[in-house]
Amino acid sequence: MINLHHSNNEPAAKHSVKSITLVILAITLVLTSLSIYESVLSWVMIIIGCSGVIRGAIYLKYYKHLPTIRTLNLLALLSILGLVYSSLNQGILEIMVNLLVLACALKLMQARLKRDVYQLVISLFFVIGTGFIFNQSLVFYIFYSLMSLVLLVSLACFQAPSLPIKQQTKIVLKLSLQALPISILLFLALPHLPPLWQVPTSKSFETGLTDEITPGDIAQLSQSSELAFRATFQDRIPEAKDRYWRAIVLEEFDGKTWRTAPLRKTVEQQFKRQNKRFSPILAGPSTEYDIIVEPTHQSWLFALDLAIPRDAKSKNNIWQSSDFRLENTKPLLSKHMYSVRSYPHAMAQQSFTQFDKRLNLTVPETANPETRKWVAAQRKRYPKDADFINALLSYFTQEPFVYTLRPKLMSVDPIDTFLFEEQAGFCSHYASALAFMLRLGDIPARVVTGYQGGELTQKGQQAPYLSIYQYDAHAWVETWTQQTGWKRIDPTALVSPDRIEFGLQDAMQQEGSFLSGSPFSLNHMKHIPWLNKVRLFLTDLDYDWSRFVLGFDDNKQHDLFKLILGKVTPDRLSILGLGIFSLVALMLGLFFLPHWLIKTSSTTQRIYGLALAALEKAGTIRPSWQAPHSFCQIVQQQYPQPVSQAFADITKLYLRLQYQNAASTSSPGLTTKQAHKLMTKQLTVLKKELAKIK
């Protein structure tokens, strides 16, 4: 009898391997989607979870049938409608990411054919690629690399189901390690071109500071231990009291909220269209440093006063505003490195225009009446600007003001409530109150938000660097007088000098409110020596990764070429390119040559393997433990004479050539070459007969 049990259906063993492959792909989809959960809609995550559960249930035989095509089509239609509705509140980037992961989930539910598995693997590689848009830290790089290896292992298992998964994993790891030197070489040598397209910005990705504050907002931000940016100085690092990292200038006040002045935005947009760049007056000593900023999906940059771009690349990418802010030409969607030079004594030298005066003297017509009355009395008592400013600052030191991360809500006349009732608040309360009082006294003033301080890390012989976290967020005041020009005044330093000198953690030690919402944060456990060592070690790893890998741009590539070639010229670059090409070709040759030699020297094994593959395709798989002669007997029992005879001849020649190293057959004069020809002839007969059966 002829066994045709698998002739019209998928082989059982192959079906099992396919199920394992799809389970692995389901796990990969779920884990990768969780890594970008902030950009994936909750209902999309539910569908992804359902797809994983369905594949797991089928593999464990709790469920036998996939959803019908009609059900999947209906689910796809509803999902499209859901994405269209969600696009009203989400950015284009989010919608495209959700569309991609949703397509993977639906494909996972629908996968029945070989091409479905291939399409799913390719789509999952794209999902991993989108992960790098949102997460570029070393931890996520390792995670996404592992996910890529898992995808390759699943694909290898699907392609060669007879090999155990442990052996497949070893093969994939070996191939990946062999490809690693070539990848590193290409990373160092290939031109670092800008992206061919710009990823659209989504408002939901805004992190850190915003372009408006209501007293108390920054207090919430100070509960985050997320990294904001790092700064590496070329020479002396400024003292803690001088580390005011400027970001946003707020010049419009409605009695409660400070925000970026719309008129300033309009003027700056006109200047950008006309390419009219602001050039500050530079004076005094300068400080040079590099900054690696975390993605904020905003364009503002951070720098000490008064900063200008330091190198050609930074000059091309940075726009300097007339209020001394630095902006990147594009939103920061990933880690970004730039170089600046600061002139700490140059603020007083800057000009003051009527436009600046108009923006920085405007006060709301109503609100906070007690403050208006008190300021009017002080101004009458102190007609000189310097005396009036000292009187306002003295009020903060003479009254029992308290610096706290837990201020009470002050919704009605917040400045009156803060100054004369509560007298307890965060830096934004003090900056808002002082700037408002200065304007009431006819002294131009504005609120500046950014960060203050930073944790110093010394790493061997390398240049020390500062790590600035979200809890270092701060607000202060800039005022202008005829005698001093632009000047920074920080009322928080009067109430809580420890905040400026030693940082927020020391300032809030008695209150116990520092990172109270994150008690297990490593930044919260600096007092535990071994945990602090672990934290600093991880900080150094992330710093090196950001500076030397993510920060490897065309400028650093040019410096590398200059180090290798001595002088970068077209001729030397051509020689270097030819050398790199030859080195890559040599590496590939060292990898493929042994395989090619083995393949050409074992023709016997290759022909026999093709015969086994033909039978495997027909539904009969030879176990790895079974001897060729025993398997030949099974074939003779299951298949008709033309098939079994052809395979028997191939097996006989295979055994004699492979194990006896002799060409003796029924024809005494048969050579090895002639034996190979006979095997090839019988292989052709075998395939034709199997095709007839199918």
Side-chain angles (χ1 to χ4, degrees):
M1 294 294 293
I2 301 173
N3 187 357
L4 299 179
H5 178 69
H6 297 303
S7 61
N8 296 321
N9 298 311
E10 190 176 18
K14 198 166 184 178
H15 177 73
S16 176
V17 172
K18 180 180 177 181
S19 299
I20 296 174
T21 301
L22 289 172
V23 168
I24 295 175
L25 296 180
I27 295 173
T28 305
L29 174 61
V30 172
L31 293 179
T32 308
S33 300
L34 286 175
S35 71
I36 53 175
Y37 72 95
E38 291 183 350
S39 62
V40 179
L41 297 170
S42 56
W43 62 269
V44 175
M45 286 297 302
I46 293 175
I47 294 178
I48 294 172
C50 290
S51 66
V53 170
I54 289 174
R55 278 301 167 185
I58 291 176
Y59 176 72
L60 297 174
K61 298 182 180 180
Y62 293 141
Y63 191 72
K64 296 183 179 180
H65 303 288
L66 290 173
T68 63
I69 299 298
R70 179 179 297 178
T71 302
L72 289 175
N73 288 339
L74 179 60
L75 182 59
L77 179 60
L78 294 176
S79 299
I80 292 174
L81 294 177
L83 287 177
V84 172
Y85 176 77
S86 302
S87 64
L88 301 176
N89 300 318
Q90 305 292 331
I92 297 177
L93 175 60
E94 276 188 295
I95 297 302
M96 298 306 294
V97 171
N98 280 276
L99 181 61
L100 178 61
V101 295
L102 184 60
C104 290
L106 295 177
K107 176 60 70 174
L108 185 63
M109 294 183 189
Q110 178 248 343
R112 291 173 170 84
L113 305 175
K114 181 183 291 187
R115 67 178 183 184
D116 295 332
V117 177
Y118 295 151
Q119 291 172 356
L120 185 57
V121 170
I122 294 172
S123 300
L124 284 174
F125 273 117
F126 277 98
V127 174
I128 292 175
T130 61
F132 283 105
I133 298 177
F134 310 108
N135 307 299
Q136 294 186 344
S137 66
L138 179 59
V139 174
F140 278 102
Y141 175 80
I142 295 174
F143 170 74
Y144 291 135
S145 298
L146 290 176
M147 290 297 99
S148 299
L149 290 175
V150 169
L151 284 182
L152 293 175
V153 171
S154 65
L155 189 60
C157 292
F158 186 72
Q159 285 293 104
S162 60
L163 293 178
I165 189 171
K166 185 176 181 180
Q167 185 176 352
Q168 298 281 24
T169 303
K170 289 182 178 180
I171 294 173
V172 170
L173 288 175
K174 181 180 178 181
L175 293 174
S176 300
L177 290 175
Q178 289 172 338
L180 184 60
I182 297 178
S183 301
I184 295 175
L185 187 61
L186 294 177
F187 171 77
L188 296 174
L190 287 179
H192 287 250
L193 301 175
L196 300 178
W197 60 87
Q198 180 178 351
V199 179
T201 306
S202 171
K203 291 184 178 180
S204 65
F205 285 104
E206 295 177 4
T207 58
L209 302 172
T210 62
D211 57 0
E212 66 175 44
I213 62 166
T214 300
D217 289 349
I218 297 184
Q220 299 174 2
L221 182 61
S222 67
Q223 294 295 339
S224 171
S225 61
E226 295 293 325
L227 180 68
F229 61 94
R230 288 194 175 97
T232 305
F233 287 81
Q234 306 300 320
D235 42 29
R236 184 184 65 87
I237 296 180
E239 297 181 5
K241 63 183 180 64
D242 297 324
R243 299 174 195 161
Y244 283 83
W245 304 95
R246 181 191 201 90
I248 310 169
V249 177
L250 310 175
E251 297 175 298
E252 184 180 87
F253 183 55
D254 60 6
K256 183 179 180 180
T257 300
W258 288 86
R259 58 179 55 87
T260 303
L263 185 58
R264 175 79 69 178
K265 289 183 178 180
T266 302
V267 172
E268 291 297 332
Q269 289 174 358
Q270 293 177 355
F271 285 166
K272 288 179 181 178
R273 286 193 293 267
Q274 300 171 6
N275 198 25
K276 291 183 178 180
R277 293 180 176 269
F278 172 73
S279 298
I281 301 172
L282 304 179
S286 63
T287 302
E288 296 183 350
Y289 51 97
D290 301 324
I291 288 183
I292 304 174
V293 62
E294 297 295 305
T296 61
H297 289 261
Q298 298 294 338
S299 58
W300 51 66
L301 301 175
F302 311 103
L304 302 172
D305 291 325
L306 174 76
I308 61 171
R310 194 174 89 229
D311 54 26
K313 181 181 179 181
S314 297
K315 289 179 181 177
N316 292 331
N317 295 333
I318 294 178
W319 174 269
Q320 189 151 32
S321 175
S322 56
D323 58 1
F324 319 138
R325 291 177 297 109
L326 298 181
E327 292 184 7
N328 201 52
T329 53
K330 296 180 181 178
L332 303 176
L333 304 179
S334 59
K335 286 192 177 185
H336 178 68
M337 182 174 178
Y338 57 97
S339 302
V340 291
R341 180 185 295 112
S342 290
Y343 294 82
H345 302 297
M347 285 287 292
Q349 310 299 323
Q350 306 310 308
S351 60
F352 185 73
T353 64
Q354 289 297 320
F355 178 70
D356 293 324
K357 184 176 181 180
R358 174 185 173 185
L359 290 181
N360 293 282
L361 280 178
T362 302
V363 293
E365 295 181 358
T366 58
N368 303 296
E370 292 186 33
T371 304
R372 294 171 184 271
K373 182 179 178 180
W374 184 83
V375 170
Q378 297 298 316
R379 189 54 164 162
K380 185 177 181 180
R381 184 178 178 183
Y382 301 102
K384 293 184 178 180
D385 290 345
D387 295 338
F388 173 70
I389 294 174
N390 289 332
L392 297 183
L393 297 178
S394 297
Y395 181 75
F396 290 110
T397 57
Q398 294 171 0
E399 295 292 321
F401 280 92
V402 177
Y403 183 74
T404 178
L405 294 180
R406 300 168 178 169
K408 292 184 179 180
L409 182 64
M410 309 173 199
S411 55
V412 180
D413 294 329
I415 294 182
D416 283 355
T417 305
F418 169 67
L419 288 176
F420 306 111
E421 296 180 20
E422 298 295 338
Q423 295 188 334
F426 194 57
C427 61
S428 54
H429 292 85
Y430 291 97
S432 176
L434 179 59
F436 179 62
M437 290 190 294
L438 287 170
R439 287 190 178 187
L440 291 175
D442 200 34
I443 296 178
R446 59 196 184 191
V447 174
V448 181
T449 60
Y451 298 87
Q452 199 286 324
E455 181 184 45
L456 178 63
T457 302
Q458 180 70 51
K459 191 172 186 295
Q461 299 299 322
Q462 298 182 15
Y465 63 92
L466 290 171
S467 298
I468 294 85
Y469 299 92
Q470 294 294 351
Y471 58 71
D472 292 315
H474 196 56
W476 59 93
V477 176
E478 283 183 354
T479 183
W480 189 90
T481 62
Q482 190 69 39
Q483 295 76 23
T484 63
W486 283 108
K487 182 181 179 181
R488 179 180 65 241
I489 301 178
D490 187 3
T492 302
L494 301 175
V495 179
S496 179
D498 288 348
R499 163 65 184 89
I500 308 303
E501 291 288 344
F502 305 107
L504 187 65
Q505 184 174 13
D506 288 345
M508 296 292 100
Q509 189 170 6
Q510 292 184 352
E511 187 179 72
S513 57
F514 177 74
L515 295 181
S516 57
S518 305
F520 298 105
S521 171
L522 289 178
N523 295 71
H524 196 280
M525 302 179 181
K526 296 180 182 179
H527 60 283
I528 303 177
W530 71 271
L531 278 179
N532 194 47
K533 288 182 179 180
V534 172
R535 184 184 67 86
L536 293 176
F537 174 74
L538 295 177
T539 299
D540 288 340
L541 279 181
D542 185 70
Y543 170 77
D544 290 337
W545 171 258
S546 301
R547 184 170 178 82
F548 300 111
V549 179
L550 298 181
F552 187 80
D553 53 15
D554 50 352
N555 290 332
K556 289 191 175 181
Q557 188 181 60
H558 182 272
D559 294 339
L560 177 64
F561 290 164
K562 188 175 181 180
L563 179 65
I564 297 174
L565 302 175
K567 183 179 180 182
V568 180
T569 62
D571 293 339
R572 294 188 179 185
L573 284 176
S574 300
I575 296 174
L576 179 62
L578 182 61
I580 293 173
F581 177 80
S582 302
L583 184 58
V584 171
L586 178 61
M587 290 181 179
L588 293 175
L590 291 176
F591 171 72
F592 286 108
L593 186 60
H595 296 272
W596 180 79
L597 291 175
I598 293 174
K599 186 175 181 179
T600 55
S601 62
S602 57
T603 307
T604 307
Q605 183 72 33
R606 179 178 61 84
I607 299 174
Y608 182 71
L610 291 174
L612 291 178
L615 289 171
E616 181 179 336
K617 189 175 181 181
T620 304
I621 302 175
R622 173 199 165 192
S624 58
W625 49 265
Q626 194 170 42
H629 182 70
S630 300
F631 182 68
C632 182
Q633 292 178 347
I634 293 176
V635 172
Q636 289 177 343
Q637 296 173 4
Q638 294 182 353
Y639 289 91
Q641 195 273 339
V643 175
S644 60
Q645 184 60 47
F647 186 72
D649 292 340
I650 294 174
T651 303
K652 183 186 297 184
L653 291 168
Y654 169 74
L655 290 173
R656 293 189 177 184
L657 292 174
Q658 187 73 11
Y659 297 104
Q660 299 179 12
N661 195 24
S664 59
T665 61
S666 56
S667 303
L670 192 66
T671 64
T672 302
K673 187 174 182 180
Q674 291 172 334
H676 286 162
K677 287 184 178 181
L678 283 177
M679 290 180 70
T680 304
K681 182 178 179 180
Q682 295 300 322
L683 177 63
T684 304
V685 173
L686 176 67
K687 290 182 177 180
K688 287 182 179 180
E689 295 299 328
L690 288 174
K692 291 179 182 179
I693 295 176
K694 186 175 181 180

